Amino acid sequence: MTSISNRLQDILATIQSVKLAGQHQQPVSLLAVSKAQPAAAIREAYAAGQAMFGENYLQEALDKQTQLTDLNIEWHFIGPIQSNKTQLIAQHFAWVHSIDRLKIAQRLNDARPANLPALQVCIQVNVSHEASKSGVAPDKLAALATAITALPQLKLRGLMAIPEPSHDENKQRVQFKQVRECYDALSAEGFALDTLSIGMSDDYKTAIAQGATIVRIGSAIFGARK
Ligand SMILES: *Cc1c(COP(=O)(O)O)cnc(C)c1O
């Protein structure tokens, strides 16, 4: 029987070996994506040493947070953000990966409690050019990054992307490479970035080879979502 703890260990070992085989050898953190998983599964992963968890849906996340207040979890919000959710997100998360418009960034900034450290944020970039997908177009990135840098309660860390799902490794690589190029372009413009949040259960090895520093993995840790 494979437990959450076994799967976590396997994934951490794989992350390490893919990273060492790659060109970048950047630090890579594992974000355990716990959407649709019960608090007990998070508790099990935490007991196995995992402390960073990602959630997509605010109410579901808040419910689990209240059941897990005894744990020292770093909570990351990775789902689409509606304006009316910004206040609670700013109060209850350490990181937000999914900023794709200034209005949301401003509202998170205004709602971030003064007694907490700045909210650590990534801009979500859309490299698959699908109108339906969230994420800012690459040519709008620099303007949004400039505006976010001026917000004192937010700390811009880097970029996040959710490329079109594909089992074709070449397609994965092309898309991650485009995200990487956006990241390099912003860095060259002087933004001090250290986070590239790309890669999920099916494609994290390809993402790490392209320079991912956070991989967001759900089903490979917890099993399929119901
Ligand atoms: C669900 C989700 C993940 C994890 O997906 P898996 O395929 O289960 O690893 C990662 N990132 C985001 C934004 C998600 O919504």
Side-chain angles (χ1 to χ4, degrees):
M1 212 187 72
T2 315
S3 66
I4 287 175
S5 163
N6 292 144
R7 286 190 289 237
L8 267 173
Q9 281 171 23
D10 284 352
I11 291 167
L12 288 170
T14 305
I15 288 173
Q16 211 46 30
S17 63
V18 176
K19 175 184 119 176
L20 291 177
Q23 301 171 353
H24 301 290
Q25 315 227 332
Q26 72 283 15
V28 181
S29 302
L30 172 59
L31 180 64
V33 176
S34 45
K35 66 173 178 231
Q37 303 297 342
I42 297 176
R43 207 171 266 288
E44 200 178 327
Y46 186 89
Q50 178 65 31
M52 292 165 56
F53 290 86
E55 290 279 344
N56 294 58
Y57 306 105
L58 177 62
Q59 195 51 55
E60 180 194 334
L62 296 178
D63 289 347
K64 285 185 268 188
Q65 286 179 355
T66 56
Q67 298 174 60
L68 298 166
T69 49
D70 55 317
L71 308 185
N72 191 17
I73 289 177
E74 183 178 271
W75 292 101
H76 293 228
F77 193 84
I78 62 174
I81 305 172
Q82 296 159 283
S83 294
N84 62 354
K85 303 284 166 66
T86 47
Q87 183 167 9
L88 285 167
I89 291 171
Q91 289 169 350
H92 293 277
F93 289 82
W95 282 69
V96 173
H97 291 227
S98 42
I99 292 184
D100 64 358
R101 49 204 164 108
L102 182 55
K103 180 185 169 195
I104 295 296
Q106 281 166 335
R107 290 178 64 98
L108 289 170
N109 178 73
D110 295 348
R112 182 66 171 174
N115 63 323
L116 294 180
L119 189 60
Q120 310 296 301
V121 304
C122 292
I123 298 175
Q124 185 174 349
V125 60
N126 181 353
V127 293
S128 54
H129 311 294
E130 289 168 64
S132 62
K133 272 243 185 88
S134 18
V136 62
D139 63 343
K140 306 251 159 59
L141 262 182
L144 183 54
T146 301
I148 289 176
T149 304
L151 299 172
Q153 298 290 71
L154 301 189
K155 169 79 180 147
L156 180 63
R157 299 292 295 270
L159 299 181
M160 183 274 243
I162 314 172
E164 226 179 313
S166 168
H167 288 286
D168 176 345
E169 232 184 88
N170 275 323
K171 263 194 200 145
Q172 294 174 5
R173 189 176 310 110
V174 167
Q175 295 195 69
F176 287 139
K177 196 158 182 281
Q178 286 176 325
V179 182
R180 168 86 210 187
E181 282 164 6
C182 290
Y183 178 90
D184 288 342
L186 281 182
S187 302
E189 285 183 51
F191 295 97
L193 308 179
D194 63 5
T195 301
L196 194 51
S197 168
I198 48 174
M200 317 200 322
S201 292
D202 287 336
D203 56 17
Y204 71 95
K205 294 175 213 154
T206 315
I208 291 168
Q210 295 302 324
T213 68
I214 297 181
V215 289
R216 308 178 311 268
I217 299 184
S219 46
I221 298 172
F222 297 107
R225 285 180 287 276
K226 280 153 216 113

